[in-house]
Amino acid sequence: MKKQNPFQKLMAIPGIQSVLTAYIGVIVLMIIFTVMNPNFASKTNLMSLARSICPYLLVGIGQGIVCITGNIDLSIGSVLGMSAMISATLICNGVNPIVALIVDIAACLAIGVINGILVGKFKLPPFIGTLGTMTICRGLAEIVNGNYNTGDIGTAPLATAIRNLFCYGKIGVIYNGVIVTLVIWFCFNFIMSYTKTGRHIYAIGSNVDAARLSGVDVFKTTTIAYLISAFCSCVAGLVVMAAAGMGSMQAGLSYEMYGVAAAVIGGISTLGGTGLLVGVIAGASVWGILQNGLTLANVPAALRNIIIGCIVVACVLLDIMRRSGVKFKKKK
């Protein structure tokens, strides 16, 4: 048998071609926007861009893992908003910030468990189940502070520490929020790549019946995927809250689309069973670069949404065509 060279081994990894395509897209976009506006490549803008990508990457990680199971999580944006509002409201009302974070994480994880039960145990279609929890969480985000945005979380030492941890603090030139996000990515990438839980997540996405017959606990694995999604959305909410210094009832709006975009552009299949979390970094970066570059180019927000929406639809369509074996052939 002929020995493969390193490049052949790399290309043999399932899903790696989609990942490489996403990273090529990142490079091309950066070149285009730098030519359009040299300020795009400035150190200040790039550091700001990296920080702004963090919430997209976090929800992309969670959504990506759920998509690998063959499901979807429409509640991520509302969980993000609920997280921002719960943590900010508690801090503004004098609760110890550490206690506020614990309560916030527990509340968000509870939503992950509920999603897992609805989809994994009661076999509710994930679109319907998570649409319900999305609405519930958005309602909780709105009423937790009496239908008002919170005030500033203040400048007390612990409140300042939270803002520095999730957003404004730096180690060298890198924002702490970027470091926290990458640590979370490394942890879940390790789980997906090297643990039994990761293998089970891929297995139920590939063929849930075969996975069940092989001894995989589908309910448990599905719940774990939704727990990861809820946790990532919770941290994304803390990042958004720390950046604003307050809780906003509008936080997390449209983040369902951001999460799907980051996952799909990064090569994760919406049909389940395939995809690499390393691609989500590229997917989130594409989204963030488009938002940042089009803003610098003074492109209206409505047109930005149309452009990005078209890219997401195209990525999903290409994935479905690839998975179904559709090929374009020239008619004779």
Side-chain angles (χ1 to χ4, degrees), residues 283-324:
S285 297
V286 167
W287 184 269
I289 290 169
L290 282 170
Q291 292 278 24
N292 183 274
L294 293 173
T295 299
L296 288 177
N298 294 317
V299 175
L303 184 55
R304 294 203 303 267
N305 291 334
I306 291 172
I307 292 171
I308 297 172
C310 288
I311 291 173
V312 173
V313 171
C315 288
V316 174
L317 182 60
L318 288 172
D319 173 60
I320 292 174
M321 292 172 63
R322 180 179 60 82
R323 292 286 293 269
S324 61

Side-chain angles (χ1 to χ4, degrees), residues 220-231:
K220 176 183 175 182
T221 304
T222 301
T223 302
I224 289 173
Y226 277 110
L227 275 170
I228 292 172
S229 180
F231 173 77

Side-chain angles (χ1 to χ4, degrees), residues 159-320:
T160 300
I162 288 175
R163 295 196 70 182
N164 287 335
L165 172 63
F166 290 105
C167 189
Y168 291 107
K170 288 183 179 181
I171 296 179
V173 297
I174 303 176
Y175 285 105
N176 289 343
V178 176
I179 296 172
V180 169
T181 301
L182 289 177
V183 168
I184 291 173
W185 177 86
F186 274 114
C187 290
F188 289 127
N189 186 64
F190 178 84
I191 290 172
M192 294 298 293
S193 302
Y194 301 107
T195 69
K196 182 172 67 174
T197 297
R199 291 193 295 273
H200 287 179
I201 288 173
Y202 278 104
I204 67 173
S206 297
N207 190 318
V208 65
D209 293 325
R212 185 180 290 109
L213 291 173
S214 299
V216 175
D217 189 330
V218 175
F219 166 53
K220 176 183 175 182
T221 304
T222 301
T223 302
I224 289 173
Y226 277 110
L227 275 170
I228 292 172
S229 180
F231 173 77
C232 290
S233 297
C234 177
V235 177
L238 293 173
V239 170
V240 171
M241 184 274 292
M246 59 175 286
S248 169
M249 293 188 295
Q250 305 303 311
L253 289 177
S254 299
Y255 269 75
E256 298 82 12
M257 182 173 64
Y258 299 167
V260 171
V264 171
I265 293 172
I268 291 179
S269 174
T270 56
L271 302 177
T274 61
L276 301 169
L277 285 190
V278 67
V280 178
I281 296 178
S285 297
V286 167
W287 184 269
I289 290 169
L290 282 170
Q291 292 278 24
N292 183 274
L294 293 173
T295 299
L296 288 177
N298 294 317
V299 175
L303 184 55
R304 294 203 303 267
N305 291 334
I306 291 172
I307 292 171
I308 297 172
C310 288
I311 291 173
V312 173
V313 171
C315 288
V316 174
L317 182 60
L318 288 172
D319 173 60
I320 292 174

Side-chain angles (χ1 to χ4, degrees), residues 11-304:
M11 297 307 293
I13 299 174
I16 195 64
Q17 293 184 18
S18 298
V19 171
L20 293 176
T21 300
Y23 278 99
I24 291 172
V26 169
I27 295 170
V28 170
L29 284 174
M30 293 188 73
I31 293 173
I32 290 173
F33 286 125
T34 299
V35 171
M36 292 174 62
N37 189 335
N39 289 330
F40 176 84
S42 68
K43 178 181 174 181
T44 300
N45 186 62
L46 291 179
M47 291 299 100
S48 178
L49 174 61
R51 186 175 61 183
S52 69
I53 288 171
C54 290
Y56 304 150
L57 177 54
L58 286 165
V59 295
I61 293 168
Q63 188 70 271
I65 290 174
V66 171
C67 284
I68 290 172
T69 67
N71 297 305
I72 194 168
D73 187 358
L74 297 180
S75 69
I76 55 176
S78 296
V79 172
L80 186 159
M82 186 181 75
S83 170
M85 283 299 294
I86 288 177
S87 56
T89 298
L90 291 175
I91 294 172
C92 287
N93 282 278
V95 176
N96 184 294
I98 303 300
V99 175
L101 292 187
I102 293 173
V103 172
D104 185 30
I105 293 172
C108 293
L109 291 181
I111 300 300
V113 172
I114 292 171
N115 283 336
I117 292 173
L118 293 175
V119 176
K121 188 174 183 64
F122 293 108
K123 313 302 180 187
L124 207 63
F127 182 88
I128 301 300
T130 61
L131 183 65
T133 52
M134 176 187 79
T135 307
I136 292 169
C137 291
R138 181 56 59 187
L140 290 172
E142 291 171 349
I143 68 172
V144 69
N145 194 48
N147 287 313
Y148 289 99
N149 296 335
T150 72
D152 194 289
I153 63 174
T155 56
L158 282 178
T160 300
I162 288 175
R163 295 196 70 182
N164 287 335
L165 172 63
F166 290 105
C167 189
Y168 291 107
K170 288 183 179 181
I171 296 179
V173 297
I174 303 176
Y175 285 105
N176 289 343
V178 176
I179 296 172
V180 169
T181 301
L182 289 177
V183 168
I184 291 173
W185 177 86
F186 274 114
C187 290
F188 289 127
N189 186 64
F190 178 84
I191 290 172
M192 294 298 293
S193 302
Y194 301 107
T195 69
K196 182 172 67 174
T197 297
R199 291 193 295 273
H200 287 179
I201 288 173
Y202 278 104
I204 67 173
S206 297
N207 190 318
V208 65
D209 293 325
R212 185 180 290 109
L213 291 173
S214 299
V216 175
D217 189 330
V218 175
F219 166 53
K220 176 183 175 182
T221 304
T222 301
T223 302
I224 289 173
Y226 277 110
L227 275 170
I228 292 172
S229 180
F231 173 77
C232 290
S233 297
C234 177
V235 177
L238 293 173
V239 170
V240 171
M241 184 274 292
M246 59 175 286
S248 169
M249 293 188 295
Q250 305 303 311
L253 289 177
S254 299
Y255 269 75
E256 298 82 12
M257 182 173 64
Y258 299 167
V260 171
V264 171
I265 293 172
I268 291 179
S269 174
T270 56
L271 302 177
T274 61
L276 301 169
L277 285 190
V278 67
V280 178
I281 296 178
S285 297
V286 167
W287 184 269
I289 290 169
L290 282 170
Q291 292 278 24
N292 183 274
L294 293 173
T295 299
L296 288 177
N298 294 317
V299 175
L303 184 55
R304 294 203 303 267

